[in-house]
């Protein structure tokens, strides 16, 4: 929890990375990420949804389930061989 009573940004990024890793194939790794913080996660629980949108690109949306699934974090991860 941060000073504004919300989930700390680093924890949000970690949740996004963990969700993206769930879609990796054997021998594939995350090699780059871009995280956009859209709104604070203050009610919770936070839920991360990962979807492969291209052969080497994963999109993760983190939503505040207690706030009508408001999208709070949008992250994209590039994948490659490990």
């Amino acid at each position: 929890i941060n000073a504004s009573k919300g989930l700390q940004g680093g924890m949000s990024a970690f949740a996004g990375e963990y969700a993206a890793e769930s879609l990796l194939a054997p021998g594939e790794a995350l090699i780059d990420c871009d995280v956009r913080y859209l709104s604070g996660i203050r009610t919770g629980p936070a839920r991360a949804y990962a979807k492969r949108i291209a052969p080497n690109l994963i999109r993760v949306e983190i939503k505040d389930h207690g706030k009508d699934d408001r999208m709070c974090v949008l992250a994209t991860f590039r994948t490659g061989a490990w």
Side-chain angles (χ1 to χ4, degrees):
I1 304 292
N2 61 23
S4 65
K5 308 241 189 263
L7 188 64
Q8 198 268 345
M11 195 59 141
S12 300
F14 176 73
E17 181 180 2
Y18 194 75
E21 285 177 347
S22 72
L23 298 180
L24 294 178
E28 189 177 32
L30 301 177
I31 58 173
D32 189 31
C33 72
D34 179 63
V35 180
R36 305 292 171 137
Y37 299 96
L38 308 174
S39 177
I41 301 170
R42 292 189 179 87
T43 306
R47 293 191 179 164
Y49 303 91
K51 179 179 180 182
R52 191 172 289 270
I53 58 174
N56 68 335
L57 197 61
I58 296 172
R59 174 187 170 113
V60 178
E61 297 178 357
I62 301 177
K63 299 181 178 185
D64 189 340
H65 185 64
K67 282 282 192 181
D68 298 321
D69 282 334
R70 178 192 306 179
M71 188 182 340
C72 298
V73 179
L74 176 62
T76 53
F77 294 87
R78 197 163 46 100
T79 65
W82 192 60

